[in-house]
C-alpha cells in the first residue's frame, strides 16, 4: 500500500523534501502544512502552521497519515515529535529532549565538552554583570550567543569590551530575543572556512551525507547581515577523504557515544555547522533538522529513495542502510525579496518561472511564494531556490545563474558569488 506522507513547514527545504519524497515508489498522497506555491504542485497544502502541534496530530489521525517529516526547528523544540509518537504516529525528527541540542546552545556546549567533541572554548552566564566582568578581561574577538532559538539572529561577533557589553545588554537586559536571551554563551572566535554536515542518526548509528557550504551573509563577498542562507554548494570542496574520517571519528562517533551516556533518544537529522580550523574541524552549532538551503542541494545529489532512509532512521534501524549520491556538483542560488533579512514587502508577481525551469538539470524550489489567481506571488524573505547539477562546480553554477536570470519580481535580491566565496 502506498504511504500517505505529511511534511510540515513552508520553506525551500520543505519543497525540496516533498519533491524528493514524491519520487519514492512507496509514496502515495503527499500533504504539506502549510506549504507554498511550489508544494501545491506536487501535493495538497494544508492550512496548518508547522508549530500547531495539536491540530497537526488531529489532522494526521483523521487523514490516516503513515509518516510525517518535520521541517523547522521551533516545532521540534515545541515537542511535535513527542506529541505524534504519543499518539502512535510515525514521524521523522528528534524528540524535544534531544532537540535541545539545537534549541539551547548552553546545553549543546556542555554536551560537547562532556563528550570531547571539538568546539570553541566558552563560558555561560545568566547574570548580566558577571558576563560583563568576564568580557572586560577577555581577549578579542569574542562571540556572544543567545542560548535559545533566535531566528538565526542571536549570534554577535564582538571586537572589544564595549561591543560585548552592548551585545550582552541587548540580549540579557533588553531581551531583544525574548527568553532565548536569558542565558548567554560567550565563545572563543574561530577562524577557518565553514561547512555544513548532515547525518541521519537513528539513536545508535549515523549515515553521513556529502558536505555542503552555505553562504549566510546577505551580500556578495560575504558582506552584510547574516541571513538564513543565500545559497549552497555541494560538495564544499574543503572536505577530502581524510578530513571526512576525522569528522566521523571526532564528531559523529563521539556524538553517538554521548547520546548513549546521557540517555538521549536522538532519531532524526543531525546537521552540525563546522569551522574547519588549522587545529581541525570544530563544531559551531548543532542543528537537529535539515538545513535550508542545504537540503535543496542534497536532494539533488541523492540517487537513493529518501523515504525508506527516513523511515529506518525514525524506527532506529539504520543498520544496513546506505545512500547513493551523484558525483556531480549541485548549486542552489536563493532569490530573496528586497530588504531581506530585514522587513520585506510581499505580494509581488513573479515572472519567468517556466523559462527558468526549462534549463537542463535545473529544479526550482519555492520558499516564500503563494498562488493568487493565475499568478505566483512573493510571500516572504527568501522566495525561491534555483538549483542545478553540473559535472563541475563551475558548470552547476553557470546553469543555476542562467536559470535564475530568467526570473523577475520587484526588488529581487540574490548573491552573484555562490560557490565562488570564499575564493
Ligand atoms: P551559529 O548559529 O552558532 O552557527 O552561528 C552563526 C554564525 O556565526 C556561524 O555560521 C559563524 O559564521 C559565526 N560563528 C558562530 N560561532 C563562531 C565562532 N566561535 N567563531 C567564529 N564565528 C562564529
Ligand atoms: N542554512 C543554515 C540553516 O539551515 O541553519
Amino acid at each position: 500500500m502506498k504511504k500517505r506522507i505529511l511534511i510540515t513547514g513552508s520553506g525551500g527545504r520543505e519543497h525540496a523534501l516533498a519533491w524528493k519524497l514524491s519520487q519514492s515508489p512507496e509514496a502515495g498522497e503527499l500533504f504539506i502544512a502549510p506549504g507554498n506555491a511550489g508544494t501545491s504542485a506536487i501535493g495538497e497544502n494544508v492550512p496548518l502552521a508547522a508549530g500547531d502541534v495539536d491540530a497537526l496530530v488531529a489532522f494526521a489521525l483523521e487523514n490516516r497519515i503513515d509518516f510525517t517529516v518535520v521541517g523547522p526547528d521551533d516545532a521540534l523544540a515545541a515537542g511535535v515529535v513527542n506529541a505524534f509518537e504519543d499518539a502512535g504516529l510515525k514521524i521523522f525528527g528528534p524528540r524535544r529532549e534531544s532537540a535541545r541540542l539545537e534549541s539551547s546552545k548552553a546545553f549543546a556546549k556542555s554536551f560537547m565538552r562532556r563528550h570531547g567533541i571539538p568546539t570553541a572554548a566558552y563560558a555561560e552566564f545568566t547574570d548580566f554583570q558577571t558576563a560583563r566582568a568576564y568580557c572586560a578581561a577577555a581577549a578579542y574577538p569574542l562571540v556572544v550567543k543567545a542560548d535559545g532559538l533566535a531566528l538565526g539572529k542571536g549570534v554577535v561577533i564582538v571586537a572589544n569590551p564595549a561591543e560585548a557589553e552592548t551585545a550582552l545588554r541587548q540580549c540579557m537586559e533588553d531581551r531583544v530575543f525574548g527568553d532565548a536571551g536569558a542565558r548567554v554563551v560567550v565563545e572563543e572566535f574561530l577562524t577557518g572556512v565553514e561547512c555544513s554536515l548532515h547525518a541521519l542518526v537513528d539513536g545508535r548509528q549515523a549515515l553521513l551525507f556529502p558536505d555542503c557550504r552555505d553562504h549566510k551573509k546577505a551580500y556578495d563577498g560575504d558582506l552584510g547581515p547574516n541571513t538564513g542562507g543565500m545559497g549552497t554548494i555541494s560538495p564544499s570542496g574543503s572536505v577530502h577523504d581524510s578530513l571526512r574520517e576525522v569528522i566521523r571519528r571526532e564528531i559523529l562517533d563521539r556524538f553517538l557515544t554521548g547520546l548513549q551516556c546521557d540517555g538521549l533518544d536522538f532519531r532524526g537529522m543531525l546537521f552540525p555547522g563546522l569551522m574547519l580550523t588549522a587545529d581541525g574541524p570544530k563544531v559551531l552549532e548543532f542543528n537537529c533538522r535539515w538545513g535550508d538551503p542545504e537540503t535543496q542541494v542534497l536532494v539533488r545529489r541523492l540517487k537513493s529513495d529518501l523515504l525508506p532512509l527516513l523511515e529506518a532512521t525514525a524506527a532506529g534501524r539504520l543498520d544496513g542502510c546506505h545512500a547513493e549520491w551523484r558525483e556531480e556538483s549541485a548549486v542552489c542560488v536563493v532569490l530573496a525579496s528586497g530588504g531581506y533579512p530585514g522587513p520585506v514587502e510581499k505580494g509581488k508577481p513573479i515572472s519567468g518561472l517556466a523559462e527558468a525551469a526549462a534549463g537542463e538539470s535545473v529544479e526550482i524550489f519555492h520558499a516564500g511564494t503563494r498562488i493568487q489567481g493565475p499568478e505566483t506571488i512573493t510571500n516572504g524573505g527568501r522566495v525561491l531556490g534555483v538549483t542545478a547539477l553540473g559535472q563541475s562546480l563551475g558548470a552547476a553554477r553557470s546553469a543555476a545563474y542562467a536559470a535564475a536570470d530568467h526570473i523577475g519580481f520587484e526588488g529581487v535580491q540574490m548573491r552573484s558569488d555562490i560557490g565562488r566565496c570564499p575564493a
Side-chain angles (χ1 to χ4, degrees), residues 105 109 119-121 141-146 152-157 187-192 194 214 216-217 226-227 273-275 283-287:
K105 288 189 188 288
K109 292 296 284 192
T119 188
L142 272 181
V143 188
V144 175
K145 299 185 173 185
K153 294 177 186 156
V155 175
V156 192
I157 294 165
E187 201 171 271
E188 166 200 13
F189 178 79
L190 298 175
T191 49
E194 286 184 53
D214 191 9
K216 286 192 178 151
K217 300 283 184 182
N226 259 331
T227 69
L274 298 189
M275 186 72 88
V283 175
L284 291 174
E285 62 171 345
F286 284 131
N287 301 292

Side-chain angles (χ1 to χ4, degrees), residues 134-188:
Y134 173 89
C135 289
Y140 284 82
L142 272 181
V143 188
V144 175
K145 299 185 173 185
D147 177 52
L149 296 175
L151 300 170
K153 294 177 186 156
V155 175
V156 192
I157 294 165
V158 292
N160 52 54
E163 284 183 20
E165 182 171 336
T166 304
L168 291 170
R169 190 181 297 284
Q170 285 179 348
C171 196
M172 305 181 85
E173 302 266 283
D174 304 344
R175 292 293 172 93
V176 293
F177 311 117
D179 288 346
R183 184 183 297 269
V184 295
V185 166
V186 178
E187 201 171 271
E188 166 200 13

Side-chain angles (χ1 to χ4, degrees), residues 7-11 32-37 39-40 44-51 56:
I7 298 164
T8 67
S10 62
I32 308 93
N36 56 40
T39 61
S40 68
E44 185 180 327
N45 283 356
V46 179
L48 293 174
L56 287 170

Side-chain angles (χ1 to χ4, degrees), residues 2 12 29 39 57 76 108 134 160 164 169 178 188 222 250 298 305 354 389 395 407 423:
K2 299 262 192 190
E29 260 188 285
T39 61
V57 169
L76 295 168
Y134 173 89
N160 52 54
R169 190 181 297 284
E188 166 200 13
D222 280 340
E250 295 190 358
L298 288 171
D305 185 355
L389 291 173
I407 299 175

Side-chain angles (χ1 to χ4, degrees), residues 214 216 228-229 271 285 287 289-294:
D214 191 9
K216 286 192 178 151
F271 154 25
E285 62 171 345
N287 301 292
R289 54 174 173 84
W290 294 77
D292 186 351
E294 282 86 346

